[in-house]
Amino acid sequence: MEREIFLRSVPLFAELEDRHIHALSAMLAERRYRKGSVVFFEGDPGDALFIVSQGAVKIYRVAEDGREKTLAILRDGDIFGEMALLDEEPRSAIAECLEPTTLYALHRKEFLAFLANNPSMAIHIIKVLCGRLRRANAQVMDVVFRDVKSRIVRTLLDLSQRHGIPCRAGVRIDLKLTHQELASLVGTARETVTRILAEFQDTGFLTVDGRHLVIRDREALESLAVS
Ligand code: CMP
């Protein structure tokens, strides 16, 4: 029953009838991962779609010289692994758990059958893909036309919007990110992130609480992001 309540809260399944949620619940395989575990590698064959039940999953690619580019960080209720099931190509990126994570796996055959019988699910998947394309387009524009400081600011604002929790000092980003991980999201060197974060701490725009960043002055950061 707990699983059905969770599934009802996942946007992909929001419009399914109760009997379908019930059937789906029985089909899902629960998988638990430790921090740092890889769910799949780029190039693997795709046999299942994953739903994040609890935790955080980093989606990234690795360049030939070993540098990483993080494409997205996914959290509870997010889905991934749909692309290889839909276009029958290999996995397009690596999925790795940033913290202890529980996923539900839905196998290809069941996923495709559900999609065929539930137009609301198909429309939702298209919306997810549109959202990812919009973000990818925005990132291309940022990389081509913005300087690195502005890109770091936009990444911080995006993280605070997606993973932010209001706190006394401002908004706390609910992810333990190293400077290297932040650099991989922005697409720059770790040293650059360290230097610019230190600058933002000096000016009071943000502060660090343990391994969490806290945005203290969102407006000031926003004004930097448009310049
Ligand atoms: P798939 O190609 O099966 O395996 C990797 C998954 O990462 C992919 O499906 C998507 O679910 C997800 N993914 C790939 N690119 C992005 C992106 N730019 N933003 C968010 N998720 C992505």
Side-chain angles (χ1 to χ4, degrees), residues 40 59 71-72 74 79-85 90-93 132:
F40 54 69
I59 304 289
L71 302 170
L74 306 176
I79 58 160
F80 65 95
E82 75 295 335
M83 283 170 59
L85 302 193
R91 294 295 190 195
S92 61
R132 288 177 183 170

Side-chain angles (χ1 to χ4, degrees), residues 20-33:
H20 285 148
I21 290 277
H22 188 69
L24 187 66
S25 172
M27 285 172 198
L28 295 177
E30 186 178 295
R31 297 196 193 161
R32 289 169 191 265
Y33 297 85

Side-chain angles (χ1 to χ4, degrees), residues 44-107:
D44 282 355
D47 56 353
L49 163 93
F50 294 91
I51 303 139
V52 183
S53 167
Q54 199 174 32
V57 176
K58 177 171 78 163
I59 304 289
Y60 67 103
R61 296 188 64 176
V62 183
E64 277 176 12
D65 64 4
R67 284 181 299 167
E68 292 180 6
K69 174 70 182 85
T70 299
L71 302 170
I73 295 175
L74 306 176
R75 296 225 77 149
D76 305 8
D78 288 332
I79 58 160
F80 65 95
E82 75 295 335
M83 283 170 59
L85 302 193
L86 293 168
D87 67 7
E88 297 179 15
E89 295 284 331
R91 294 295 190 195
S92 61
I94 306 172
E96 181 183 314
C97 300
L98 283 178
E99 49 189 65
T101 295
T102 305
L103 302 176
Y104 290 127
L106 179 60
H107 284 275

